[in-house]
C-alpha cells in the first residue's frame, strides 16, 4: 500500500514541479512506481489521476506543443494547488478556528478540521480573541448539508420529498443556489425545476433523503437573487393592526412602524403569508385587532367562526 | 472528505499536508506532530519514512526530501515543491464560510474591527471557491446576550434578565441563577433557578432580550415545585403542516382524536386559537369553553367595526 502512496506523492511532486505539460510517456519514464506492461501503467495512471482529484487536487490537461505534438500532457498548477488567501493575520487564524469549531460534532466537523490543519501550516500563530464565552455552535439538523453544498458547487439537481402546507408529500426538483441558517433552522434555496423560479425550503420539512441528479444543461445563476428575499422585509403589502399596550410582543417584533393610541398601539406589519399572519394574530386573542387589509380580516373572521362552531 | 475517501488516500493527504506543516514547524517533537495530525507516533514515523522516499524525478539524494529525526525532533529540507499548504476544498470552504457567518452574528456589536476582519476573510474565501454560492447564518441570539449568559454559567454568578414568554405574551424582568445551557429541537435553552418564580425554569435563549450580571442571595432557598402536566385531546379537521408543527405531531389523520400534554394552559389555549378551523379541542372542557368565549368576543368586535 505504501508503494501506491509513494507513487501518488511522487506524481504530485513531479506534476507540480514541471513548468510545462508532461506527457504520459515522460511520466512513466521518470516518476518512480510505474511498472509493468504498458496497459498496467496506463491503468495505474488513470486511477492515480482519479485519486488525486478526489483529494481536491486538480490536474490540468493540455498539449505542451500544440503545433507539432497532439499528445496530451499533464501538470498541476501550483497557484491552484496552493492555498492562497493572501496575507493571514493571527486574528484571522483565531476567527477561522472559531468558524471551524462551530461545526463541532456537526455535519462539516471533518471538513473544517482538515481545513484548519492546512491553515496551521501557514505558520501564523493564533491570537486569541478576548471575548469570553464566544463559541457559537451550528446545530446539525440535517444530514444532507454536504449533499446540498456539493450540488451548489456543481449546479446539479436535488430531488426530495417535501411536506406541503396541507401535509401532503410533494416531490421537488431544484438546482440549489443558497444555504442558510436562521434561528437554528436550515433553509435551502434553489431554482425550482417546475416553476423556474427561486423557492426556499426548510430542511426539517424534507422527508427522507435528498438525491442528486447530474445537471447536463448549462445553469445560469439567477443574478437578482439575494438571500434577504427570505426575510419578511422585502414584501410589499402590509397589515394595519391594533395591539394592546404591553401585549402582542411577537407581532410587535415584526412591526415596521408604531403609532401610540393610548390604551392600544397601532402597528404596521409586512405580510409574508396571510395564513401565517392569521395564526399569529389568533394566537394573541383579544389583545390584537386587524384593520386592514380586508383579505386578512375576512380570513380571521372565517377562522373565528369555525372556532366558535367547533367549540360551542 | 474523510467519509468518501479510502484509508490510503487519507494517508496520502496527510503526507501532503505534513510537508508544509514541518516546513513552518522545524524541529517539532515527533509526539507533538503526531498529536497535531491525530495519529500515533508509530504511524507518524511510518509516514515520515514514506515521505523520505519521495521527491523529484531522478530520485538521487539531491532530489529526495531531506528529513531529519534527531532524538525525537523532526526537521525537513529540500521540499520546496510541496512547501505551501494545499488549497482548501469546496466543502471545506463552504463550511468555513457558514461558520464565519455565525461567528460574525455572535460578535458583540461594538467589535467593528472583528466584523471587518470576518468580512474580508469571507470575501477571500468566496473568491477562492469561485462559485456564486450564497450562504448565510444568522445566530438566533444576540452576541451580547449569549456572551453574558455563558460567562455567568461558567463563573456561577446571578443574572438579571428580561424574558419574553411567548405563551403568556409577557415580557418580564427576572433575577435568575443559571445552572446550565442545553440544546433541544434546534433551540438553545438556559436552565436556571428563577428568584422571581422561586422555582427552576427553562428559558429559550433567543427570547432573552437583555441580560446583565447581578448578585443573588448568598444562601437562597431552593424549593422544587413539580409542575403537573395538563393532558388534552384534539381532533384534526383538515390537514395542516403549521398545526402539525405547532403541536409537534408527525401526522394528523382527519377525524381522529389525538392525546397530548403540556405544562401550560395558556399554551394549549393559544395553540388551539392559532390553529383556527383546523383543530377541535375536546378536553379539558374549561379550556374548550374559554376558546369558544374568546372566539365569540373577537367576532363581535369585528362585526361592530
Amino acid at each position: 500500500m505504501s508503494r501506491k502512496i509513494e507513487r501518488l506523492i511522487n506524481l504530485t511532486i513531479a506534476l507540480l514541479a514541471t513548468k510545462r505539460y508532461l506527457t504520459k510517456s515522460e511520466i512513466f519514464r521518470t516518476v518512480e512506481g510505474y511498472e509493468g506492461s504498458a496497459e498496467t501503467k496506463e491503468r495505474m495512471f488513470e486511477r492515480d489521476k482519479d485519486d488525486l482529484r478526489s483529494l481536491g487536487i486538480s490536474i490540468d490537461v493540455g498539449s505542451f506543443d500544440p503545433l507539432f505534438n497532439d499528445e496530451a500532457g499533464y501538470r498541476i498548477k501550483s497557484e491552484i494547488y496552493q492555498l492562497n488567501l493572501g496575507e493571514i493575520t493571527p486574528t484571522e487564524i483565531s476567527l477561522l478556528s472559531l468558524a471551524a469549531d462551530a461545526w463541532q460534532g456537526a455535519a462539516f466537523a471533518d471538513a473544517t478540521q482538515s481545513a484548519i490543519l492546512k491553515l496551521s501550516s501557514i505558520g501564523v500563530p493564533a491570537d486569541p480573541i478576548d471575548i469570553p464565552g464566544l463559541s457559537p455552535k451550528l446545530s446539525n439538523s440535517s444530514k444532507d448539508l454536504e449533499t446540498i453544498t456539493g450540488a451548489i458547487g456543481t449546479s446539479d439537481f436535488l430531488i426530495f420529498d417535501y411536506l406541503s402546507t396541507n401535509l401532503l408529500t410533494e416531490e421537488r426538483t431544484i438546482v440549489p443556489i443558497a444555504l442558510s441558517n436562521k434561528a437554528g433552522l436550515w433553509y435551502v434555496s434553489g431554482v425550482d425545476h417546475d416553476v423556474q423560479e427561486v423557492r426556499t425550503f426548510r430542511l426539517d420539512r424534507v422527508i427522507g433523503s435528498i438525491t442528486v441528479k447530474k445537471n447536463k444543461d448549462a445553469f445560469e445563476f439567477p443574478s437578482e437573487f439575494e438571500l434577504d428575499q427570505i426575510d419578511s422585509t422585502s414584501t410589499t403589502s402590509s397589515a394595519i393592526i391594533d395591539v394592546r399596550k404591553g401585549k402582542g410582543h411577537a407581532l410587535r417584533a415584526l412591526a415596521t412602524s408604531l403609532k401610540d393610541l393610548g390604551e392600544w398601539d397601532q402597528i404596521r406589519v409586512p405580510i409574508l403569508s396571510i395564513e401565517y399572519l392569521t395564526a399569529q394574530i389568533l394566537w394573541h386573542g383579544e389583545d390584537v385587532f386587524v384593520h386592514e387589509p380586508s383579505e386578512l380580516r375576512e380570513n380571521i373572521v372565517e377562522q373565528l367562526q369555525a372556532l366558535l362552531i367547533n367549540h360551542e | 472528505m474523510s467519509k468518501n475517501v479510502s484509508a490510503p488516500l487519507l494517508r496520502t493527504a496527510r503526507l501532503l499536508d505534513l510537508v508544509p506543516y514541518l516546513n513552518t514547524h522545524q524541529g517539532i517533537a515527533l509526539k507533538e506532530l503526531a498529536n497535531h495530525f491525530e495519529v500515533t507516533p508509530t504511524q507518524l514515523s511510518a509516514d515520515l519514512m514514506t515521505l523520505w522516499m519521495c521527491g523529484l524525478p531522478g530520485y538521487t539524494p539531491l532530489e529526495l526530501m531531506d528529513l531529519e529525526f534527531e532524538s525525537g525532533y523532526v526537521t525537513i529540507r529540500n521540499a520546496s515543491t510541496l512547501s505551501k499548504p494545499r488549497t482548501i476544498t469546496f466543502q471545506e470552504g463552504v463550511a468555513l464560510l457558514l461558520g464565519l457567518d455565525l461567528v460574525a452574528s455572535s460578535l458583540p456589536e461594538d467589535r467593528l474591527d472583528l466584523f471587518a476582519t470576518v468580512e474580508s476573510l469571507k470575501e477571500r474565501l468566496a473568491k477562492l471557491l469561485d462559485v456564486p454560492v450564497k450562504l448565510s447564518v444568522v445566530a438566533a441570539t444576540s452576541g451580547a446576550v449569549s456572551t453574558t449568559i455563558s460567562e455567568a454559567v461558567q463563573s456561577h454568578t446571578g443574572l438579571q434578565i428580561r424574558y419574553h414568554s411567548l405563551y403568556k405574551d409577557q415580557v418580564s424582568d427576572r433575577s435568575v441563577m443559571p445552572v446550565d445551557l442545553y440544546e433541544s429541537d434546534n433551540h438553545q435553552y438556559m436552565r436556571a433557578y428563577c428568584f422571581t418564580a422561586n422555582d427552576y425554569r427553562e428559558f429559550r435563549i433567543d427570547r432573552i432580550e437583555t441580560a446583565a450580571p447581578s448578585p443573588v442571595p448568598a444562601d437562597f432557598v431552593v424549593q422544587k415545585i413539580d409542575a403537573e402536566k395538563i393532558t388534552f385531546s384534539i381532533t384534526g379537521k383538515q390537514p395542516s403542516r403549521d398545526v402539525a408543527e405547532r403541536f409537534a405531531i408527525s401526522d394528523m389523520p382527519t377525524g381522529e382524536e389525538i392525546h397530548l400534554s403540556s405544562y401550560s394552559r395558556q399554551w394549549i389555549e393559544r395553540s388551539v386559537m392559532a390553529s383556527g378551523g383546523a383543530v377541535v379541542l375536546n378536553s379539558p372542557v374549561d379550556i374548550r369553553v374559554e376558546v369558544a368565549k374568546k372566539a365569540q368576543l373577537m367576532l363581535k368586535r369585528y362585526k361592530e367595526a
Side-chain angles (χ1 to χ4, degrees):
Chain A
M1 229 353 116
S2 82
R3 294 282 298 158
K4 179 189 166 81
I5 294 168
E6 260 173 56
R7 193 177 67 235
L8 283 174
I9 305 250
N10 282 328
L11 179 63
T12 308
I13 295 176
L15 292 179
L16 259 175
T18 181
K19 296 281 171 278
R20 57 176 181 84
Y21 291 102
L22 293 180
T23 64
K24 246 186 272 186
S25 46
E26 279 177 301
I27 292 168
F28 294 160
R29 212 168 46 239
T30 58
V31 177
E32 195 155 272
Y34 289 101
E35 282 150 12
S37 68
E39 206 181 309
T40 315
K41 285 195 245 183
E42 193 83 23
R43 256 206 322 270
M44 268 181 173
F45 181 64
E46 286 308 312
R47 202 168 317 139
D48 288 352
K49 272 194 308 182
D50 287 344
D51 283 346
L52 289 184
R53 286 197 178 114
S54 75
L55 288 178
I57 299 169
S58 65
I59 298 171
D60 213 28
V61 187
S63 176
F64 70 95
D65 195 347
L67 286 178
F68 298 104
N69 193 331
D70 55 3
E71 193 185 349
Y74 304 88
R75 61 177 291 197
I76 298 169
K77 288 188 174 151
S78 60
E79 63 269 29
I80 291 174
Y81 176 87
Q82 291 169 355
L83 177 63
N84 184 11
L85 276 176
E87 208 52 41
I88 296 262
T89 66
T91 309
E92 286 175 336
I93 292 283
S94 291
L95 286 168
L96 286 166
S97 303
L98 276 175
D101 288 345
W103 290 101
Q104 220 172 65
F108 286 116
D110 288 344
T112 46
Q113 280 322 303
S114 68
I116 287 300
L117 201 64
K118 291 169 181 174
L119 287 163
S120 69
S121 298
I122 300 174
V124 175
D127 179 16
I129 292 162
D130 53 345
I131 301 171
L134 180 68
S135 67
K137 293 278 176 281
L138 280 159
S139 57
N140 180 25
S141 60
S142 174
K143 55 198 181 310
D144 296 314
L145 293 186
E146 291 190 43
T147 312
I148 293 166
T149 53
I152 292 176
T154 50
S155 298
D156 282 332
F157 291 114
L158 291 178
I159 303 166
F160 52 87
D161 286 333
Y162 195 69
L163 193 64
S164 70
T165 51
N166 51 2
L167 279 182
L168 295 174
T169 307
E170 290 169 357
E171 189 183 276
R172 303 292 193 125
T173 303
I174 64 166
V175 178
I177 56 173
L179 179 68
S180 54
N181 180 303
K182 259 170 79 177
L185 294 169
W186 286 101
Y187 297 84
V188 59
S189 303
V191 178
D192 191 307
H193 194 59
D194 296 331
V195 291
Q196 286 299 318
E197 269 177 37
V198 176
R199 292 277 188 276
T200 297
F201 303 90
R202 224 171 86 177
L203 286 190
D204 61 324
R205 289 176 180 159
V206 169
I207 300 159
S209 54
I210 299 181
T211 51
V212 181
K213 200 182 95 192
K214 270 257 155 279
N215 184 3
K216 293 191 189 80
D217 303 331
F219 175 70
E220 203 174 311
F221 193 90
S223 53
E224 75 284 9
F225 173 75
E226 281 301 326
L227 265 176
D228 300 343
Q229 285 172 351
I230 304 172
D231 284 349
S232 52
T233 43
S234 56
T235 51
T236 43
S237 61
S238 56
I240 295 175
I241 303 171
D242 284 355
V243 182
R244 204 185 296 273
K245 278 254 154 63
K247 287 286 172 187
H249 301 283
L251 282 168
R252 286 170 189 270
L254 303 173
T256 53
S257 72
L258 183 140
K259 201 160 76 189
D260 192 333
L261 299 179
E263 195 192 333
W264 297 71
D265 286 324
Q266 192 162 86
I267 59 171
R268 187 181 277 274
V269 175
I271 303 176
L272 196 61
S273 121
I274 290 276
E275 286 71 32
Y276 175 75
L277 197 54
T278 300
Q280 280 276 310
I281 289 162
L282 289 173
W283 169 276
H284 288 95
E286 299 160 279
D287 296 323
V288 169
F289 179 77
V290 177
H291 289 282
E292 308 182 357
S294 56
E295 194 190 351
L296 179 63
R297 273 179 69 116
E298 280 158 22
N299 194 34
I300 285 172
V301 167
E302 198 183 300
Q303 299 300 321
L304 285 171
Q305 275 162 344
L307 275 166
L308 185 58
I309 293 165
N310 288 341
H311 294 91
E312 256 178 344
Chain B
M1 182 172 78
S2 58
K3 277 170 207 131
N4 325 317
V5 174
S6 66
L9 276 191
L10 268 185
R11 190 158 169 236
T12 308
R14 187 167 66 237
L15 292 184
L16 290 173
D17 292 339
L18 260 169
V19 180
Y21 189 79
L22 276 170
N23 214 35
T24 50
H25 298 77
Q26 300 280 7
I28 189 173
L30 187 75
K31 244 178 134 174
E32 195 188 333
L33 190 61
N35 270 343
H36 190 77
F37 281 85
E38 294 178 337
V39 290
T40 62
T42 319
Q43 175 65 58
L44 192 87
S45 300
D47 286 355
L48 294 173
M49 291 306 287
T50 307
L51 266 184
W52 213 344
M53 298 291 134
C54 299
L56 280 167
Y59 309 103
T60 66
L62 279 178
E63 279 103 9
L64 290 179
M65 279 185 249
D66 192 0
L67 282 151
E68 224 170 89
F69 311 76
E70 214 182 274
S71 44
Y73 297 92
V74 192
T75 45
I76 193 167
R77 270 181 221 107
N78 206 12
S80 63
T81 318
L82 293 179
S83 65
K84 292 272 160 46
R86 286 191 298 142
T87 196
I88 51 169
T89 63
F90 183 78
Q91 295 282 29
E92 290 166 2
V94 164
L96 285 179
L97 272 175
L98 285 165
L100 280 173
D101 221 19
L102 179 74
V103 170
S105 64
S106 312
L107 287 171
E109 277 166 28
D110 58 345
R111 291 305 296 267
L112 294 177
D113 55 327
L114 292 178
F115 282 115
T117 314
V118 170
E119 269 317 302
S120 140
L121 272 174
K122 277 169 62 185
E123 262 169 45
R124 280 139 71 196
L125 274 169
K127 210 175 131 209
L128 205 62
L129 298 184
D130 193 32
V131 276
V133 51
K134 306 252 174 181
L135 303 157
S136 96
V137 174
V138 182
T141 26
S142 101
V145 168
S146 56
T147 305
T148 313
I149 291 172
S150 30
E151 269 183 303
V153 172
Q154 271 162 22
S155 60
H156 305 287
T157 47
L159 280 175
Q160 184 72 31
I161 60 167
R162 171 158 292 178
Y163 188 68
H164 173 201
S165 157
L166 198 65
Y167 308 162
K168 293 188 184 150
D169 189 14
Q170 231 171 43
V171 174
S172 56
D173 291 314
R174 289 153 180 270
S175 171
V176 299
M177 179 72 193
V179 178
D180 60 1
L181 301 173
Y182 68 98
E183 205 184 284
S184 167
D185 292 337
N186 290 317
H187 293 294
Q188 271 225 310
Y189 292 85
M190 169 178 76
R191 220 187 317 257
Y193 187 81
C194 175
F195 296 101
T196 316
N198 274 325
D199 193 6
Y200 284 99
R201 287 281 185 271
E202 278 150 11
F203 300 96
R204 233 176 85 171
I205 296 208
D206 58 342
R207 299 213 178 108
I208 299 177
E209 296 181 346
T210 60
S214 100
V216 292
D219 52 341
F220 65 88
V221 189
V222 176
Q223 300 164 310
K224 183 87 187 95
I225 307 158
D226 279 319
E228 219 171 285
K229 273 199 161 184
I230 306 161
T231 54
F232 66 101
S233 100
I234 55 172
T235 303
K237 295 287 257 186
Q238 67 210 45
S240 154
R241 183 181 67 195
D242 289 340
V243 172
E245 285 177 351
R246 188 172 297 125
F247 289 100
I249 47 180
S250 53
D251 195 16
M252 44 182 298
T254 307
E256 217 167 277
E257 195 171 351
I258 306 164
H259 294 272
L260 299 163
S261 64
S262 164
Y263 282 111
S264 165
R265 281 181 58 90
Q266 276 156 322
W267 181 83
I268 300 170
E269 188 190 307
R270 287 182 191 276
S271 296
V272 172
M273 291 292 294
S275 305
V279 145
V280 182
L281 177 73
N282 307 310
S283 66
V285 175
D286 55 335
I287 302 180
R288 187 188 155 97
V289 169
E290 193 59 33
V291 168
K293 216 165 85 187
K294 273 226 167 110
Q296 190 160 31
L297 277 169
M298 286 167 74
L299 268 178
K300 200 170 151 236
R301 180 150 184 226
Y302 278 104
K303 282 186 179 138
E304 280 165 1

